[in-house]
Amino acid sequence: MQSIKRHNTVPVSIDHVLVGGNAPIVVQSMTNTDTADVVRTVQQVAELAKAGSELVRITVNNLESAKAVPEIRERLDKIGYNVPLVGDFHFNGHKLLTAVPECAEALGKFRINPGNVGRGKKRDEQFASMIEFACRYDKAVRIGVNWGSLDQELLATMLDENAKLAQPRDLALVQHDALIESALGSARKAESYGLAHDKIIISCKLSGVQGLIHTYRDLASQCDYPLHLGLTEAGMGSKGIVASTAALSVLLQEGIGDTIRISLTPEPGAPREKEVIVGQEILQCLGLRSFTPQVVACPGCGRTSSEYFQHLAEDIQSYLRHQMPIWKDNHPGVEDMSVAVMGCVVNGPGESKHANIGISLPGTGETPVAPVYEDGEKTVTLKGDNIAEEFQVLVNQYVER
Ligand code: SF4
């Protein structure tokens, strides 16, 4: 497999999690609970961590939520989830950290949006105050610029300067430069206030795929801070997944990106963990990390009359995902395994032989038997009504061996 050369960045520690340098690309997510609701927030952080989120961001938007943070940390530790918490601050972060310094202590990282720290002279003061807390408690900071809340004063200044040029640049280019300057200028300021270079992570999120790629390529060429990748407001369902995958894959393939978050708008009733799974799958498909054995399944066609095999593929994938917390410590390398579930004899035996373990189910008109292949050899033929259960047992035995 072609290896991807990662962009050179300085490693940043967020509690026990390393982001940047040559550390594996970190998958992170964010809760959507009211942080002041300690019980629900702890529950959702635990669910996200269990699904594989290696950092979890929580919003800290008022005094109640700031006061809740130390208790959330304590309860998570008690139930065995040491996932670092990232505090998302906007508008009043300086006040909240001043009022509840324990909140700063309990967090692993602050996310500061330079577009939302204040206006005029107060902006620098308030930003400096938050950086001071990060320095005092030895915390990392993500300077998180967002297209939707770009620093309007900075943009206005840059537009004025542009207008004075003999040949003013395109408005879109000035906006692009303003995004980058907001991030890198804030990082420079943070360092001038005493924050160490290896405590800073940068993000510059947009909702358009081409704009995001352009911005991160430029960011990567201008700094060695670790970069947090994510398409903001990616959207719902398949659109959100496709747009995020399209944008992030291009950048990750170029070695850009040290941590990712897939911002999906959850469909009603959909589990919040979906964004973690999508993030893991992007990294695994690109060969950058392995999390769970992957199921290779055909799409089905007129040669197979039932959707039985598609259900089997789905069941096996969720079974494998479910088993990972149990397997991962006792069976190192299991996450690199592949399992084929194929619908008929056309491609079934071939794909099954290439997988570690695979099954070729009978298509329409074929003998109702399902040969199973392990490491390229046919080992057994299943038949009858319990093929799914029997195949699951064989997968389990394969892993145990
Ligand atoms: Fe159709 Fe068979 Fe190919 Fe599956 S393996 S898509 S059932 S021809």
Side-chain angles (χ1 to χ4, degrees), residues 298-304 309 342-348:
C298 75
C301 69
R303 290 187 62 91
T304 180
F309 83 96
M342 299 294 291
C344 86
V345 76
V346 171
N347 292 320

Side-chain angles (χ1 to χ4, degrees), residues 147 150-151 154-165 167-182 214-215:
W147 173 240
L150 176 60
D151 182 339
L154 174 71
L155 179 62
T157 307
M158 290 179 72
L159 286 171
D160 285 349
E161 282 166 8
N162 186 57
K164 289 179 199 151
L165 295 175
Q167 286 188 317
R169 300 166 71 223
D170 207 57
L171 174 65
L173 286 175
V174 182
Q175 288 170 329
H176 164 87
D177 288 354
L179 272 171
I180 293 178
E181 179 51 28
S182 179
H214 184 193
T215 302

Side-chain angles (χ1 to χ4, degrees), residues 175-306:
Q175 288 170 329
H176 164 87
D177 288 354
L179 272 171
I180 293 178
E181 179 51 28
S182 179
L184 298 185
S186 301
R188 284 193 299 273
K189 261 187 206 159
E191 288 198 49
S192 77
Y193 299 146
L195 191 66
H197 190 75
D198 66 356
K199 287 287 173 193
I200 299 174
I201 294 174
I202 297 282
S203 69
C204 246
K205 295 192 184 179
L206 293 92
S207 55
V209 171
Q210 294 296 351
L212 190 91
I213 293 169
H214 184 193
T215 302
Y216 273 86
R217 278 179 178 156
D218 280 1
L219 267 179
S221 71
Q222 292 180 38
C223 73
D224 64 356
Y225 298 116
L227 299 179
H228 165 127
L229 292 191
L231 191 72
T232 192
E233 289 101 38
M236 294 184 70
S238 57
K239 188 265 170 184
I241 294 172
V242 170
S244 294
T245 307
L248 268 55
S249 296
V250 170
L251 292 165
L252 292 166
Q253 182 68 20
E254 293 175 12
I256 298 170
D258 301 282
T259 174
I260 63 171
R261 191 234 166 164
I262 309 300
S263 307
L264 299 178
T265 307
E267 282 162 355
R272 189 75 179 161
E273 302 91 290
K274 178 112 185 234
E275 65 175 51
V276 178
I277 293 169
V278 173
Q280 291 182 335
E281 284 177 345
I282 292 173
L283 295 179
Q284 187 147 357
C285 287
L286 287 169
L288 286 163
R289 284 190 71 181
S290 294
F291 298 92
T292 302
Q294 294 295 292
V295 170
V296 177
C298 75
C301 69
R303 290 187 62 91
T304 180
S305 56
S306 82

Side-chain angles (χ1 to χ4, degrees), residues 55-111:
L55 298 173
V56 178
R57 185 157 44 116
I58 57 179
T59 193
V60 187
N61 57 338
N62 53 34
L63 204 54
E64 291 71 34
S65 61
K67 283 181 184 164
V69 172
E71 193 182 345
I72 292 168
R73 177 71 276 159
E74 202 177 309
R75 286 197 191 195
L76 284 166
D77 288 339
K78 259 191 202 147
I79 58 172
Y81 289 98
N82 64 354
V83 59
L85 296 173
V86 181
D88 198 54
F89 294 100
H90 298 269
F91 311 111
N92 56 359
H94 59 292
K95 285 190 188 156
L96 298 177
L97 291 171
T98 306
V100 192
E102 301 82 359
C103 166
E105 205 169 356
L107 293 167
K109 181 174 73 166
F110 307 164
R111 182 272 171 112

